[in-house]
Amino acid sequence: RLVIDLPNTTLPKSAEEKPGVREMAVDHPFAYKIRYAQNSLDPAVVRIVIDLKGKVGYSLVKNAKKKELTVTLSEIKYKIVIDAGHGGSDPGASSISNKQEKDFTLAVANKLYKLLQETPSVQTIMTRTDDSYPTLQDRVDLANNAKADLFISIHGNKFDQNPAISGTETYYYDEESLEFARLVHRYVLEAAGLPDRNVRQANFKVLRDTAMPAVLLEVGYLSNERDDKLMWSESFQNKVAASIVDAIKAYLQIT
């Protein structure tokens, strides 16, 4: 909602004869209804409420001569940084099927990028789009310089000492990122169908040094036979990418 209070203002007498909230439907891409009422008489305040279809930007322009107040609603562009972990000279973990983590992370990141392109209010920034290796500082600088709203780093896990370990983990660093981490974890966990290895706090550089809510997602274990088989399937990667999109939309309240 966008709430506008007009001080030292009363509604016309014809309107005052019908006390209570009046409303009117509007045909607008960002709003669906406007309500207004005499909020109080002492002091005199008229309240106008614009019911919105989602989060929007707005500006108010006052024309004292014409006694007009113009409200302009505009689309918000959220900047999302998608980080495909590792790359280039850093292959990441090797899977039991002799594949490399860097290829899995890029495959999911590219699918995620393609899906986010369908959301007009989102601008997606990739830390890499090919088999290159931006340093951890490069990734942090890219997100901070872009003044991104969210940062998501995609990874695959590994624990050779116990190949029976399986599941999805989501990492965050500070309290600012916890709510986003919980959302990402919940959506991905449901889509992946792997064991829940919880939301965890970690001092990873890409989480610690980024200036926006940031999470690092360990989708599954490349050292586990079942996880590994799933993680390299197109359908699984598509489901995971779609679930991350859903988590982003839920966090940003994008309809």
Side-chain angles (χ1 to χ4, degrees):
R1 299 183 304 160
L2 177 61
V3 179
I4 303 168
D5 281 349
L6 305 179
N8 305 314
T9 307
T10 56
L11 291 173
K13 288 185 177 180
S14 58
E16 288 177 345
E17 292 172 0
K18 300 177 181 179
V21 178
R22 273 78 71 188
E23 62 180 53
M24 56 179 163
V26 293
D27 182 15
H28 193 280
F30 304 126
Y32 64 91
K33 186 169 60 179
I34 297 175
R35 296 175 282 134
Y36 61 97
Q38 190 72 51
N39 195 54
S40 65
L41 287 172
D42 187 15
V45 176
V46 169
R47 172 163 292 180
I48 302 169
V49 179
I50 303 175
D51 289 310
L52 304 168
K53 296 177 181 178
K55 284 190 174 181
V56 299
Y58 72 93
S59 64
L60 301 176
V61 177
K62 182 180 179 181
N63 187 322
K65 187 176 181 180
K66 292 184 177 181
K67 296 183 179 181
E68 288 181 351
L69 183 67
T70 302
V71 183
T72 302
L73 304 179
S74 58
E75 183 179 77
I76 290 179
K77 274 283 189 182
Y78 295 102
K79 295 180 182 178
I80 313 296
V81 173
I82 305 301
D83 175 39
H86 307 284
S89 60
D90 176 15
S94 297
S95 76
I96 58 172
S97 57
N98 295 316
K99 298 182 178 72
Q100 296 179 325
E101 181 186 358
K102 66 176 183 178
D103 297 323
F104 167 76
T105 64
L106 185 60
V108 174
N110 283 337
K111 289 176 171 61
L112 177 54
Y113 176 83
K114 186 176 180 180
L115 289 172
L116 284 172
Q117 291 300 99
E118 300 171 6
T119 305
S121 57
V122 169
Q123 176 187 349
T124 312
I125 303 167
M126 300 280 281
T127 60
R128 67 182 182 99
T129 57
D130 55 18
D131 188 20
S132 58
Y133 178 68
T135 66
L136 296 181
Q137 188 63 52
D138 290 337
R139 300 169 203 240
V140 168
D141 289 344
L142 178 68
N144 289 343
N145 291 339
K147 293 181 170 55
D149 296 286
L150 295 174
F151 179 95
I152 305 164
S153 189
I154 299 168
H155 288 258
N157 220 331
K158 185 178 183 180
F159 191 61
D160 288 331
Q161 292 87 337
N162 186 355
I165 291 181
S166 159
T168 300
E169 301 167 8
T170 305
Y171 290 88
Y172 74 101
Y173 174 69
D174 55 22
E175 288 298 313
E176 181 190 12
S177 301
L178 180 56
E179 180 187 353
F180 183 47
R182 285 173 172 164
L183 268 176
V184 170
H185 188 74
R186 175 160 61 88
Y187 278 87
V188 173
L189 194 67
E190 183 178 349
L194 298 177
D196 183 357
R197 289 186 54 80
N198 303 318
V199 174
R200 306 178 178 208
Q201 192 169 27
N203 190 26
F204 298 140
K205 182 176 180 63
V206 294
L207 303 182
R208 182 187 67 239
D209 293 345
T210 42
M212 70 289 305
V215 301
L216 187 147
L217 175 64
E218 297 277 11
V219 178
Y221 275 74
L222 295 166
S223 50
N224 177 272
E225 185 175 0
R226 177 174 175 266
D227 285 19
D228 183 57
K229 184 177 180 180
L230 284 171
M231 289 166 70
W232 295 105
S233 74
E234 287 281 332
S235 60
F236 180 86
Q237 292 175 5
N238 285 329
K239 284 194 297 183
V240 169
S243 69
I244 297 172
V245 172
D246 290 341
I248 290 170
K249 288 182 176 180
Y251 182 80
L252 296 176
Q253 298 179 33
I254 298 173
T255 55

